[in-house]
Amino acid sequence: MATCFWLQSCRAPRLPPAPRGRGPRRCAGCQGPSALLPQGPAPLRGYARGAVGLPAALLRTDGFVGGRWVPAAATFPVHDPASGAALGQVADHGVPEARAAVRAAYEAFSSWKGVSAKERSSLLRKWYDLMIQNKDDLAKIITAENGKPLKEAQGEILYSALFLEWFSEEARRIYGDIIYTSATDRRSLVIKQPVGVAAIITPWNFPSAMITRKVGAALAAGCTVVVKPAEDTPLSALALAELANQAGIPPGVYNVVPCSRKKAKEVGEALCTDPLVSKISFTGSTATGKILLHYAAHSVKRVSMELGGHAPFIVFDSANVDRAVAGAMASKFRNSGQTCVCSNRFLVQKGIHDSFVKKFAEAIKKDLRVGNGFEDGITQGPLINEKAVEKVEKHVSDAVSKGATIETGGKRHQLGKNFFEPTLLSNVTPDMLCSHEETFGPLAPVIKFDKEEEAVAIANAADVGLAGYFYSQDPAQIWRVAEQLEVGMVGVNEGLISSVECPFGGVKQSGLGREGSKYGIDEYLELKYVCYGGL
């Protein structure tokens, strides 16, 4: 049975059975997942509060399938990246459990798609309300398993909850069209219908928000979902399952299948090739996204992909340097540089280059504090694991060997383990690894450029295009560069651009589709043309 090392002493009440009439209806000819699920009401796992006050009521370590907590024959550990300590053992689900979750979602879809938009809206709003009521406890879970500072984790929970609120409202705004044709004896209509079961595969860097941004849209559209969270951060996904259950989301509508890194490939393949899955939504690396696209191609599934980024941050001579430094700090070092929209290449025009580098280095030394995310005043937590630290080290070593200068940082932090010093490099050139590979860590390489065309060419040389940023006070230049940058999102004189109301997504090899905003729900809807004749 899955257990939590910190939380083994208390005896929590048992989960009540799903209310009558709320469960999924079985499709004719379909075998249900019941053979793989425990019979009768599933018990809540027993926990006690741990050393950092993790919430007993929200810590779950079994999978969640068909409205029940489902253990597995094996478990895998979840570690605190700050200390390396094991937080607990989580159910290590495999292909059979993944297929059972898909079957549960498929059966639930037959009834969920018929639920009125108003009721779906109401249920999503209840889920949002519960997230807000439990925001501090949810944030503690994120900091424990992801390592980001508690203040950042609290910000993520608010951001995450807002997607449920937003899509609870968008659920009632799914409109169709009436089309007038040349024929007088017929009428033509376009309606929108949910695509079906969606497989949701999410990353560790935003373990709550990346789920609700996808799931909120899917449920609002009338789809059901199977979530495979990252193996580093499954506890946040399972906490969301607990709150979804409390909110009254019907059994089978929201399912979670956690698994270890060892089983991730086979579980991902099972979800993406299952004929009952109609939609795949993935956030992660471009390399993994290509593999999932290959899987999806066999049955021509709908896909949304939010993949790797390599965001340029351009500072032109006309820019306000102080504002540019503030934007660089916000864009680069949030979550210790582990976000897909983090600035990865700083292109600074020669007229203000020296001033920018000096002020940037001063800000890093003054404003950033590395440590355990639960400590007061910490702005930089650990990287997620040893492999992430090694990549930052590799990029710094490569750059220095080719002539780059370390302005500050440049090595592992004295705290050891997964901590790395916030690092600023100058004299960086386009041939260095950090110039053409996404670092995903607290490294800011600065490249000096002469003319606008040169900066745009360097920025667009990447084969990915998620986000881009630039600072300028020249109106004509602002329009030119905003239109020329080959990215899906542009921040002009702004380092933080994400918002639930605005579309999130990239171009080139940064992915397909958009999330959030009024456009996000369209990813889970099919258009159907209806021709009504004989009038």
Side-chain angles (χ1 to χ4, degrees), residues 90-107:
V90 173
D92 191 6
H93 284 191
V95 171
E97 291 87 355
R99 288 175 176 162
V102 170
R103 178 68 65 180
Y106 183 76
E107 293 182 3

mmCIF file with all atom_site columns, all heavy atoms in Angstrom, residues 90-107:
data_model
loop_
_atom_site.group_PDB
_atom_site.id
_atom_site.type_symbol
_atom_site.label_atom_id
_atom_site.label_alt_id
_atom_site.label_comp_id
_atom_site.label_asym_id
_atom_site.label_entity_id
_atom_site.label_seq_id
_atom_site.pdbx_PDB_ins_code
_atom_site.Cartn_x
_atom_site.Cartn_y
_atom_site.Cartn_z
_atom_site.occupancy
_atom_site.B_iso_or_equiv
_atom_site.pdbx_formal_charge
_atom_site.auth_seq_id
_atom_site.auth_comp_id
_atom_site.auth_asym_id
_atom_site.auth_atom_id
_atom_site.pdbx_PDB_model_num
ATOM 1   N N   . VAL A 1 90  ? 4.300   6.590  -3.513  1.00 0.00 ? 90  VAL A N   1
ATOM 2   C CA  . VAL A 1 90  ? 3.081   6.786  -4.292  1.00 0.00 ? 90  VAL A CA  1
ATOM 3   C C   . VAL A 1 90  ? 2.831   5.562  -5.159  1.00 0.00 ? 90  VAL A C   1
ATOM 4   O O   . VAL A 1 90  ? 3.776   4.923  -5.647  1.00 0.00 ? 90  VAL A O   1
ATOM 5   C CB  . VAL A 1 90  ? 3.201   8.062  -5.163  1.00 0.00 ? 90  VAL A CB  1
ATOM 6   C CG1 . VAL A 1 90  ? 2.026   8.196  -6.119  1.00 0.00 ? 90  VAL A CG1 1
ATOM 7   C CG2 . VAL A 1 90  ? 3.305   9.291  -4.270  1.00 0.00 ? 90  VAL A CG2 1
ATOM 8   N N   . ALA A 1 91  ? 1.571   5.241  -5.354  1.00 0.00 ? 91  ALA A N   1
ATOM 9   C CA  . ALA A 1 91  ? 1.190   4.088  -6.171  1.00 0.00 ? 91  ALA A CA  1
ATOM 10  C C   . ALA A 1 91  ? 1.815   4.187  -7.561  1.00 0.00 ? 91  ALA A C   1
ATOM 11  O O   . ALA A 1 91  ? 1.670   5.201  -8.248  1.00 0.00 ? 91  ALA A O   1
ATOM 12  C CB  . ALA A 1 91  ? -0.324  4.004  -6.278  1.00 0.00 ? 91  ALA A CB  1
ATOM 13  N N   . ASP A 1 92  ? 2.492   3.127  -7.961  1.00 0.00 ? 92  ASP A N   1
ATOM 14  C CA  . ASP A 1 92  ? 3.167   3.103  -9.259  1.00 0.00 ? 92  ASP A CA  1
ATOM 15  C C   . ASP A 1 92  ? 2.281   2.359  -10.256 1.00 0.00 ? 92  ASP A C   1
ATOM 16  O O   . ASP A 1 92  ? 2.412   1.156  -10.462 1.00 0.00 ? 92  ASP A O   1
ATOM 17  C CB  . ASP A 1 92  ? 4.525   2.413  -9.112  1.00 0.00 ? 92  ASP A CB  1
ATOM 18  C CG  . ASP A 1 92  ? 5.399   2.580  -10.342 1.00 0.00 ? 92  ASP A CG  1
ATOM 19  O OD1 . ASP A 1 92  ? 4.992   3.328  -11.260 1.00 0.00 ? 92  ASP A OD1 1
ATOM 20  O OD2 . ASP A 1 92  ? 6.493   1.982  -10.382 1.00 0.00 ? 92  ASP A OD2 1
ATOM 21  N N   . HIS A 1 93  ? 1.378   3.100  -10.872 1.00 0.00 ? 93  HIS A N   1
ATOM 22  C CA  . HIS A 1 93  ? 0.443   2.492  -11.808 1.00 0.00 ? 93  HIS A CA  1
ATOM 23  C C   . HIS A 1 93  ? 1.128   2.166  -13.129 1.00 0.00 ? 93  HIS A C   1
ATOM 24  O O   . HIS A 1 93  ? 2.048   2.849  -13.560 1.00 0.00 ? 93  HIS A O   1
ATOM 25  C CB  . HIS A 1 93  ? -0.731  3.433  -12.049 1.00 0.00 ? 93  HIS A CB  1
ATOM 26  C CG  . HIS A 1 93  ? -1.708  3.453  -10.917 1.00 0.00 ? 93  HIS A CG  1
ATOM 27  N ND1 . HIS A 1 93  ? -2.954  4.049  -11.006 1.00 0.00 ? 93  HIS A ND1 1
ATOM 28  C CD2 . HIS A 1 93  ? -1.650  2.931  -9.664  1.00 0.00 ? 93  HIS A CD2 1
ATOM 29  C CE1 . HIS A 1 93  ? -3.605  3.901  -9.866  1.00 0.00 ? 93  HIS A CE1 1
ATOM 30  N NE2 . HIS A 1 93  ? -2.826  3.237  -9.035  1.00 0.00 ? 93  HIS A NE2 1
ATOM 31  N N   . GLY A 1 94  ? 0.635   1.139  -13.761 1.00 0.00 ? 94  GLY A N   1
ATOM 32  C CA  . GLY A 1 94  ? 1.177   0.709  -15.036 1.00 0.00 ? 94  GLY A CA  1
ATOM 33  C C   . GLY A 1 94  ? 0.126   0.737  -16.125 1.00 0.00 ? 94  GLY A C   1
ATOM 34  O O   . GLY A 1 94  ? -0.923  1.386  -16.011 1.00 0.00 ? 94  GLY A O   1
ATOM 35  N N   . VAL A 1 95  ? 0.371   -0.004 -17.193 1.00 0.00 ? 95  VAL A N   1
ATOM 36  C CA  . VAL A 1 95  ? -0.527  -0.015 -18.342 1.00 0.00 ? 95  VAL A CA  1
ATOM 37  C C   . VAL A 1 95  ? -1.929  -0.504 -17.975 1.00 0.00 ? 95  VAL A C   1
ATOM 38  O O   . VAL A 1 95  ? -2.927  0.092  -18.408 1.00 0.00 ? 95  VAL A O   1
ATOM 39  C CB  . VAL A 1 95  ? 0.079   -0.861 -19.478 1.00 0.00 ? 95  VAL A CB  1
ATOM 40  C CG1 . VAL A 1 95  ? -0.930  -1.063 -20.608 1.00 0.00 ? 95  VAL A CG1 1
ATOM 41  C CG2 . VAL A 1 95  ? 1.336   -0.187 -20.016 1.00 0.00 ? 95  VAL A CG2 1
ATOM 42  N N   . PRO A 1 96  ? -2.093  -1.563 -17.177 1.00 0.00 ? 96  PRO A N   1
ATOM 43  C CA  . PRO A 1 96  ? -3.464  -2.003 -16.844 1.00 0.00 ? 96  PRO A CA  1
ATOM 44  C C   . PRO A 1 96  ? -4.281  -0.921 -16.144 1.00 0.00 ? 96  PRO A C   1
ATOM 45  O O   . PRO A 1 96  ? -5.456  -0.715 -16.466 1.00 0.00 ? 96  PRO A O   1
ATOM 46  C CB  . PRO A 1 96  ? -3.236  -3.211 -15.930 1.00 0.00 ? 96  PRO A CB  1
ATOM 47  C CG  . PRO A 1 96  ? -1.894  -3.728 -16.319 1.00 0.00 ? 96  PRO A CG  1
ATOM 48  C CD  . PRO A 1 96  ? -1.087  -2.513 -16.640 1.00 0.00 ? 96  PRO A CD  1
ATOM 49  N N   . GLU A 1 97  ? -3.644  -0.217 -15.191 1.00 0.00 ? 97  GLU A N   1
ATOM 50  C CA  . GLU A 1 97  ? -4.354  0.848  -14.489 1.00 0.00 ? 97  GLU A CA  1
ATOM 51  C C   . GLU A 1 97  ? -4.662  2.020  -15.418 1.00 0.00 ? 97  GLU A C   1
ATOM 52  O O   . GLU A 1 97  ? -5.726  2.652  -15.308 1.00 0.00 ? 97  GLU A O   1
ATOM 53  C CB  . GLU A 1 97  ? -3.549  1.329  -13.287 1.00 0.00 ? 97  GLU A CB  1
ATOM 54  C CG  . GLU A 1 97  ? -3.427  0.325  -12.152 1.00 0.00 ? 97  GLU A CG  1
ATOM 55  C CD  . GLU A 1 97  ? -2.245  -0.624 -12.312 1.00 0.00 ? 97  GLU A CD  1
ATOM 56  O OE1 . GLU A 1 97  ? -1.565  -0.578 -13.361 1.00 0.00 ? 97  GLU A OE1 1
ATOM 57  O OE2 . GLU A 1 97  ? -1.998  -1.415 -11.391 1.00 0.00 ? 97  GLU A OE2 1
ATOM 58  N N   . ALA A 1 98  ? -3.739  2.319  -16.320 1.00 0.00 ? 98  ALA A N   1
ATOM 59  C CA  . ALA A 1 98  ? -3.973  3.403  -17.270 1.00 0.00 ? 98  ALA A CA  1
ATOM 60  C C   . ALA A 1 98  ? -5.164  3.086  -18.166 1.00 0.00 ? 98  ALA A C   1
ATOM 61  O O   . ALA A 1 98  ? -6.015  3.943  -18.429 1.00 0.00 ? 98  ALA A O   1
ATOM 62  C CB  . ALA A 1 98  ? -2.715  3.646  -18.114 1.00 0.00 ? 98  ALA A CB  1
ATOM 63  N N   . ARG A 1 99  ? -5.233  1.852  -18.621 1.00 0.00 ? 99  ARG A N   1
ATOM 64  C CA  . ARG A 1 99  ? -6.353  1.457  -19.478 1.00 0.00 ? 99  ARG A CA  1
ATOM 65  C C   . ARG A 1 99  ? -7.671  1.452  -18.702 1.00 0.00 ? 99  ARG A C   1
ATOM 66  O O   . ARG A 1 99  ? -8.731  1.806  -19.238 1.00 0.00 ? 99  ARG A O   1
ATOM 67  C CB  . ARG A 1 99  ? -6.073  0.090  -20.087 1.00 0.00 ? 99  ARG A CB  1
ATOM 68  C CG  . ARG A 1 99  ? -4.980  0.139  -21.161 1.00 0.00 ? 99  ARG A CG  1
ATOM 69  C CD  . ARG A 1 99  ? -4.624  -1.230 -21.685 1.00 0.00 ? 99  ARG A CD  1
ATOM 70  N NE  . ARG A 1 99  ? -3.649  -1.131 -22.780 1.00 0.00 ? 99  ARG A NE  1
ATOM 71  C CZ  . ARG A 1 99  ? -2.892  -2.142 -23.204 1.00 0.00 ? 99  ARG A CZ  1
ATOM 72  N NH1 . ARG A 1 99  ? -3.015  -3.336 -22.629 1.00 0.00 ? 99  ARG A NH1 1
ATOM 73  N NH2 . ARG A 1 99  ? -2.037  -1.965 -24.194 1.00 0.00 ? 99  ARG A NH2 1
ATOM 74  N N   . ALA A 1 100 ? -7.605  1.055  -17.426 1.00 0.00 ? 100 ALA A N   1
ATOM 75  C CA  . ALA A 1 100 ? -8.811  1.099  -16.602 1.00 0.00 ? 100 ALA A CA  1
ATOM 76  C C   . ALA A 1 100 ? -9.281  2.536  -16.421 1.00 0.00 ? 100 ALA A C   1
ATOM 77  O O   . ALA A 1 100 ? -10.485 2.812  -16.421 1.00 0.00 ? 100 ALA A O   1
ATOM 78  C CB  . ALA A 1 100 ? -8.530  0.454  -15.239 1.00 0.00 ? 100 ALA A CB  1
ATOM 79  N N   . ALA A 1 101 ? -8.335  3.453  -16.264 1.00 0.00 ? 101 ALA A N   1
ATOM 80  C CA  . ALA A 1 101 ? -8.692  4.870  -16.106 1.00 0.00 ? 101 ALA A CA  1
ATOM 81  C C   . ALA A 1 101 ? -9.335  5.405  -17.379 1.00 0.00 ? 101 ALA A C   1
ATOM 82  O O   . ALA A 1 101 ? -10.307 6.173  -17.335 1.00 0.00 ? 101 ALA A O   1
ATOM 83  C CB  . ALA A 1 101 ? -7.456  5.693  -15.744 1.00 0.00 ? 101 ALA A CB  1
ATOM 84  N N   . VAL A 1 102 ? -8.789  5.012  -18.524 1.00 0.00 ? 102 VAL A N   1
ATOM 85  C CA  . VAL A 1 102 ? -9.380  5.430  -19.794 1.00 0.00 ? 102 VAL A CA  1
ATOM 86  C C   . VAL A 1 102 ? -10.802 4.888  -19.922 1.00 0.00 ? 102 VAL A C   1
ATOM 87  O O   . VAL A 1 102 ? -11.726 5.602  -20.330 1.00 0.00 ? 102 VAL A O   1
ATOM 88  C CB  . VAL A 1 102 ? -8.511  4.965  -20.981 1.00 0.00 ? 102 VAL A CB  1
ATOM 89  C CG1 . VAL A 1 102 ? -9.257  5.181  -22.305 1.00 0.00 ? 102 VAL A CG1 1
ATOM 90  C CG2 . VAL A 1 102 ? -7.186  5.708  -21.000 1.00 0.00 ? 102 VAL A CG2 1
ATOM 91  N N   . ARG A 1 103 ? -10.997 3.618  -19.545 1.00 0.00 ? 103 ARG A N   1
ATOM 92  C CA  . ARG A 1 103 ? -12.321 3.030  -19.628 1.00 0.00 ? 103 ARG A CA  1
ATOM 93  C C   . ARG A 1 103 ? -13.300 3.757  -18.708 1.00 0.00 ? 103 ARG A C   1
ATOM 94  O O   . ARG A 1 103 ? -14.437 4.044  -19.081 1.00 0.00 ? 103 ARG A O   1
ATOM 95  C CB  . ARG A 1 103 ? -12.253 1.549  -19.248 1.00 0.00 ? 103 ARG A CB  1
ATOM 96  C CG  . ARG A 1 103 ? -13.587 0.825  -19.249 1.00 0.00 ? 103 ARG A CG  1
ATOM 97  C CD  . ARG A 1 103 ? -14.168 0.685  -20.637 1.00 0.00 ? 103 ARG A CD  1
ATOM 98  N NE  . ARG A 1 103 ? -13.341 -0.171 -21.471 1.00 0.00 ? 103 ARG A NE  1
ATOM 99  C CZ  . ARG A 1 103 ? -13.613 -0.462 -22.734 1.00 0.00 ? 103 ARG A CZ  1
ATOM 100 N NH1 . ARG A 1 103 ? -14.682 0.062  -23.303 1.00 0.00 ? 103 ARG A NH1 1
ATOM 101 N NH2 . ARG A 1 103 ? -12.809 -1.238 -23.442 1.00 0.00 ? 103 ARG A NH2 1
ATOM 102 N N   . ALA A 1 104 ? -12.835 4.096  -17.491 1.00 0.00 ? 104 ALA A N   1
ATOM 103 C CA  . ALA A 1 104 ? -13.689 4.833  -16.556 1.00 0.00 ? 104 ALA A CA  1
ATOM 104 C C   . ALA A 1 104 ? -14.060 6.191  -17.132 1.00 0.00 ? 104 ALA A C   1
ATOM 105 O O   . ALA A 1 104 ? -15.212 6.637  -17.029 1.00 0.00 ? 104 ALA A O   1
ATOM 106 C CB  . ALA A 1 104 ? -12.984 4.988  -15.213 1.00 0.00 ? 104 ALA A CB  1
ATOM 107 N N   . ALA A 1 105 ? -13.080 6.870  -17.735 1.00 0.00 ? 105 ALA A N   1
ATOM 108 C CA  . ALA A 1 105 ? -13.345 8.182  -18.337 1.00 0.00 ? 105 ALA A CA  1
ATOM 109 C C   . ALA A 1 105 ? -14.292 8.059  -19.522 1.00 0.00 ? 105 ALA A C   1
ATOM 110 O O   . ALA A 1 105 ? -15.177 8.911  -19.730 1.00 0.00 ? 105 ALA A O   1
ATOM 111 C CB  . ALA A 1 105 ? -12.028 8.824  -18.773 1.00 0.00 ? 105 ALA A CB  1
ATOM 112 N N   . TYR A 1 106 ? -14.132 6.989  -20.312 1.00 0.00 ? 106 TYR A N   1
ATOM 113 C CA  . TYR A 1 106 ? -14.988 6.784  -21.480 1.00 0.00 ? 106 TYR A CA  1
ATOM 114 C C   . TYR A 1 106 ? -16.434 6.542  -21.062 1.00 0.00 ? 106 TYR A C   1
ATOM 115 O O   . TYR A 1 106 ? -17.378 7.064  -21.664 1.00 0.00 ? 106 TYR A O   1
ATOM 116 C CB  . TYR A 1 106 ? -14.454 5.605  -22.288 1.00 0.00 ? 106 TYR A CB  1
ATOM 117 C CG  . TYR A 1 106 ? -15.215 5.343  -23.570 1.00 0.00 ? 106 TYR A CG  1
ATOM 118 C CD1 . TYR A 1 106 ? -15.024 6.154  -24.685 1.00 0.00 ? 106 TYR A CD1 1
ATOM 119 C CD2 . TYR A 1 106 ? -16.114 4.281  -23.662 1.00 0.00 ? 106 TYR A CD2 1
ATOM 120 C CE1 . TYR A 1 106 ? -15.722 5.913  -25.872 1.00 0.00 ? 106 TYR A CE1 1
ATOM 121 C CE2 . TYR A 1 106 ? -16.802 4.031  -24.834 1.00 0.00 ? 106 TYR A CE2 1
ATOM 122 C CZ  . TYR A 1 106 ? -16.602 4.854  -25.933 1.00 0.00 ? 106 TYR A CZ  1
ATOM 123 O OH  . TYR A 1 106 ? -17.289 4.615  -27.096 1.00 0.00 ? 106 TYR A OH  1
ATOM 124 N N   . GLU A 1 107 ? -16.609 5.744  -20.023 1.00 0.00 ? 107 GLU A N   1
ATOM 125 C CA  . GLU A 1 107 ? -17.964 5.477  -19.550 1.00 0.00 ? 107 GLU A CA  1
ATOM 126 C C   . GLU A 1 107 ? -18.589 6.742  -18.957 1.00 0.00 ? 107 GLU A C   1
ATOM 127 O O   . GLU A 1 107 ? -19.776 7.010  -19.150 1.00 0.00 ? 107 GLU A O   1
ATOM 128 C CB  . GLU A 1 107 ? -17.937 4.349  -18.524 1.00 0.00 ? 107 GLU A CB  1
ATOM 129 C CG  . GLU A 1 107 ? -17.554 3.004  -19.116 1.00 0.00 ? 107 GLU A CG  1
ATOM 130 C CD  . GLU A 1 107 ? -17.576 1.882  -18.105 1.00 0.00 ? 107 GLU A CD  1
ATOM 131 O OE1 . GLU A 1 107 ? -17.941 2.136  -16.938 1.00 0.00 ? 107 GLU A OE1 1
ATOM 132 O OE2 . GLU A 1 107 ? -17.223 0.747  -18.472 1.00 0.00 ? 107 GLU A OE2 1
#
